Amino acid sequence: MTHQPEPHLPGVLAIDAGNSKTDVALVGADGRVLGSARGGGFTPQKTGGVAAVAGLAPLVEEAAAAAGLTGWTGPLTSHVSACLANADLPVEEEGLRVALESHPWGVSNTVVNDTFGLLRAGTDGPRGVAVVCGAGINCVGLLPDGRTARFPALGELTGDWGGGSGLAVSSMWHAVRAEDGRGGPTALAPAIAEHFGLPSAVAVAEAVHLGHLPFARLHEIVRVLFAVAGEGDRAALELIDRQADEIARLALVALRRLDLLDTPTPVVLGGGVLAARQSLLLDNLTARLAREAPLAEPRVVVAPPVLGAVLLGLDHLRAGPQAQERARRAYDPAHPVAA
């Protein structure tokens, strides 16, 4: 039997790495959050998995220092629980897990797509469906016997649409076409121009193309979209309707694959677009689910996504309910709420 080294701190190093930000938390085996750190987005598809994981090192060191641990050589803690965006395929998850093993952070390591973290944050165990609609969009389902429902989630290449990026680009599409005459009128055009302080939507597109306006700032258009839709703009309402349809389709397919359509089942909703709890989107979405899957139980998670990584890590350690509840209270005092 291989001897396992003793960790400096029995517990979990939880990592939630998204497209726009990364949260790291060092949590004791009793569920107490001892140290945390936040950094930028996690983009292994651009930098490569090894480099992306290496880029987490300053955050791990910051969290360890906040927990009073300095000068450690490893392993830092018992288990690394990493919920990572852009780990969309099982082969990518495994490659990132191997990259984690090269760092002295945990005696053991697990990597899952961050949508599994959302599912865990919104449920009490490994059963349910989760749809994340943040910068991008994805869906997973899980049963206690380990069966899963997944999607490749590689963007338009694999049939995906929506999320903050998709909604922003589609809003720009309507706005520019309204200005140049190829499309019908929409209040999106002047609203987008005003938001960025530019004379037109075309000027916004040119600013992004020339690098004067960071592409990431286009996500701000989602707020503009909902404001314009609230005033009854047809193009904006159609985009929100399409987003609700896409989220419902993902959830329904996952429920069907796992034979859960006829069973009361949590459908966990999260990510920035859904966590904003815009009624135009949520009311549309829940009405669709009520028609097609009346036993589905929609719930919105507004807690920080790292909570899912923490709970999955404590699951791995077989931590008791008190530890789970202590961790949940630290991040989610109100618990998930009904949609």
Side-chain angles (χ1 to χ4, degrees):
M1 180 180 295
T2 303
H3 174 70
Q4 295 287 356
E6 290 297 322
H8 284 258
L9 175 72
V12 176
L13 177 67
I15 301 170
D16 178 83
N19 286 289
S20 59
K21 61 178 172 55
T22 297
D23 280 315
V24 171
L26 192 57
V27 180
D30 62 357
R32 297 182 192 277
V33 180
L34 304 173
S36 60
R38 171 170 287 186
F42 185 77
T43 55
Q45 75 279 20
K46 296 179 181 178
T47 63
V50 171
V53 170
L56 299 173
L59 298 179
V60 175
E61 293 169 2
E62 183 180 342
L69 296 175
T70 57
W72 49 272
T73 56
L76 172 61
T77 191
S78 310
H79 183 68
V80 177
S81 172
C83 297
L84 308 179
N86 303 305
D88 296 306
L89 304 175
V91 66
E92 292 173 319
E93 291 176 336
E94 177 60 17
L96 290 165
R97 188 193 65 77
V98 171
L100 277 171
E101 283 186 342
S102 68
H103 295 270
W105 297 338
V107 176
S108 59
N109 304 269
T110 56
V111 171
V112 295
N113 180 270
D114 58 345
T115 313
F116 283 103
L118 171 65
L119 177 60
R120 183 62 183 90
T123 59
D124 294 325
R127 183 179 173 280
V129 167
V131 183
V132 62
C133 187
I137 189 167
N138 199 0
C139 174
V140 299
L142 180 63
L143 290 177
D145 62 10
R147 283 183 291 160
T148 63
R150 301 186 63 161
F151 298 83
L154 303 179
E156 291 187 2
L157 283 174
T158 52
D160 308 315
W161 183 85
S165 294
L167 288 170
V169 170
S170 293
S171 296
M172 284 294 299
W173 187 89
H174 283 285
V176 170
R177 288 172 69 90
E179 287 181 347
D180 67 20
R182 287 178 292 171
T186 174
L188 284 168
I192 289 172
E194 180 181 2
H195 177 79
F196 290 107
L198 293 171
S200 66
V202 170
V204 173
E206 291 174 352
V208 173
H209 175 72
L210 294 172
H212 303 319
L213 185 68
F215 184 86
R217 286 201 62 195
L218 288 182
H219 289 196
E220 298 170 20
I221 292 175
V222 176
R223 296 196 298 272
V224 177
L225 169 67
F226 278 100
V228 169
E231 297 172 356
D233 183 81
R234 180 178 177 180
L237 286 169
E238 287 178 351
L239 286 177
I240 292 170
D241 184 68
R242 183 181 178 187
Q243 184 66 93
D245 178 69
E246 188 70 12
I247 294 168
R249 285 175 184 267
L250 285 165
L252 290 167
V253 169
L255 288 166
R256 192 173 297 117
R257 287 180 183 175
L258 297 177
D259 297 320
L260 289 172
L261 276 176
D262 299 322
T263 305
T265 303
V267 174
V268 182
L269 307 170
V273 174
L274 284 166
R277 298 187 59 81
Q278 294 280 356
S279 60
L280 283 173
L281 177 61
L282 284 181
D283 291 350
N284 187 325
L285 168 59
T286 53
R288 291 173 184 273
L289 289 174
R291 288 194 302 270
E292 302 294 331
L295 296 181
E297 301 168 354
R299 55 185 70 173
V300 179
V301 170
V302 296
V306 72
L307 171 62
V310 170
L311 294 174
L312 287 172
L314 292 173
D315 289 343
H316 184 88
L317 297 182
R318 294 188 173 90
Q322 287 185 333
Q324 299 274 0
E325 184 64 20
R326 185 177 289 115
R328 189 178 285 281
R329 284 201 308 269
Y331 289 104
D332 186 17
H335 286 213
V337 294

